Amino acid sequence: MTGPRDLTDVTDLTGLSAESAVQLYDRYLDSLIAVREEQREEHERGLIAQLDDIEAELLYLRIRRLRPARVVEIGALHGWSTTWILRALRDNGEGRLLSMDLLDAAPYTVPRELSRRWTFRKGDARTLRRDWVSDTDYLLIDAEHTGSFARWYLSEVMPGLRTGVEVAVHDVFHRRRPLPWSEGAALLSWLERRRFPQFTASRAAAPDIHERISQFRRKAGLTRPLHRGHRNPMVFFRIGPGAPHGRSH
């Protein structure tokens, strides 16, 4: 496997905006339409859909745009986000995915034709070896949604990520603000202290962004849902320069 990418030359270091998200939809629309149909077929065969549609599409589109050599996923569960990521890597023609989960359901559901770019580790990410941190190019976290778990990855994982790495964390913005002492509250506090911009298409927290993306999706014919959810609570951010190392407080 090749070494980690130099991510410092990525022009959109400060993160997404509604317009840049729409531009990604427009740029990769044909591929996205094809992937949505592949995901629909997987869902109809029994794969449980977990991410809401817009956040799943943004995850796919960001990976297409950034072309990461190594994606890491903490929390694969049944493999819905896993297959979205693997299809993005396939369509890029490069990159690998490492997934970790307490359960080993995903290896039974991820299509074999996608798995050549994939490594799965069963276990708790907090106790598994962390040989992946320093050369991660893109990180998705969708695991134990507790304040204590957030404090673990904020203190033990984030300081080891390189400048420019994009991180996506699920289940943050189910409402306008996360509940106190939750994973989302801990994460947002950490971002605010470091002045790292964050982006969400959450209907509750960013209704204008949600509507702008929804307008484009309606015009593009992306109206038949894959997942019944419509909250899209995922938050996206980039690791900026000068991130403090050491433990999070």
Side-chain angles (χ1 to χ4, degrees):
M1 180 176 173
T2 60
R5 283 189 54 206
D6 178 5
L7 302 175
T8 58
D9 63 346
V10 178
T11 58
D12 55 349
L13 180 62
T14 56
L16 276 161
S17 67
E19 290 310 311
S20 66
V22 167
Q23 290 170 10
L24 288 179
Y25 269 95
D26 187 56
R27 178 176 178 178
Y28 297 109
L29 183 59
D30 290 344
S31 297
L32 178 60
I33 290 172
V35 167
R36 277 175 52 89
E37 289 311 305
E38 289 178 308
Q39 291 295 105
R40 189 184 309 283
E41 292 173 4
E42 297 295 340
H43 187 32
E44 291 173 351
R45 283 195 288 265
L47 180 58
I48 298 173
Q50 295 151 280
L51 302 183
D52 296 342
D53 289 356
I54 290 177
E55 61 190 2
E57 292 162 4
L58 287 173
L59 179 66
Y60 170 84
L61 293 169
R62 292 300 292 169
I63 292 173
R64 291 300 314 275
R65 162 68 178 85
L66 296 171
R67 306 187 69 86
R70 186 171 195 176
V71 182
V72 174
E73 175 188 38
I74 300 177
L77 197 55
H78 300 291
W80 185 249
S81 55
T82 309
T83 49
W84 274 101
I85 294 169
L86 287 172
R87 293 189 198 283
L89 298 177
R90 177 202 63 190
D91 293 347
N92 281 347
E94 61 180 329
R96 290 193 58 84
L97 169 64
L98 167 65
S99 300
M100 292 168 276
D101 201 288
L102 290 169
L103 303 176
D104 59 353
Y108 296 96
T109 58
V110 170
R112 182 174 298 179
E113 64 270 19
L114 295 176
S115 62
R116 70 182 186 88
R117 297 186 179 275
W118 186 43
T119 301
F120 179 82
R121 293 181 184 174
K122 182 181 179 181
D124 189 328
R126 290 169 289 194
T127 59
L128 293 173
R129 64 186 187 276
R130 291 199 291 275
D131 55 343
W132 50 270
V133 176
S134 62
D135 63 353
T136 293
D137 297 318
Y138 200 103
L139 174 62
L140 169 64
I141 300 175
D142 185 12
E144 181 182 310
H145 300 298
T146 63
S148 61
F149 188 75
R151 288 188 290 275
W152 168 76
Y153 65 70
L154 292 172
S155 63
E156 301 297 333
V157 175
M158 297 300 170
L161 298 176
R162 292 168 295 122
T163 297
V165 170
E166 184 160 295
V167 181
V169 182
H170 194 225
D171 285 324
V172 173
F173 283 117
H174 284 283
R175 48 186 61 80
R176 191 175 65 85
R177 293 287 296 183
L179 293 173
W181 314 114
S182 66
E183 175 191 24
L187 173 62
L188 293 185
S189 176
W190 186 87
L191 292 172
E192 289 165 4
R193 290 197 303 274
R194 286 153 181 79
R195 298 182 181 178
F196 289 176
Q198 48 90 7
F199 174 88
T200 183
S202 163
R203 189 174 185 177
D208 292 344
I209 293 174
H210 182 274
E211 179 55 28
R212 178 68 183 93
I213 294 173
S214 297
Q215 287 175 355
F216 180 90
R217 294 177 77 251
R218 288 193 291 268
K219 290 180 181 178
L222 305 178
T223 55
R224 186 182 172 197
L226 299 175
H227 185 260
R228 293 177 300 174
H230 57 267
R231 293 182 175 180
N232 297 286
M234 188 176 290
V235 64
F236 300 81
F237 61 93
R238 307 290 295 281
I239 299 296
H245 285 239
R247 300 193 67 83
S248 172
H249 299 290

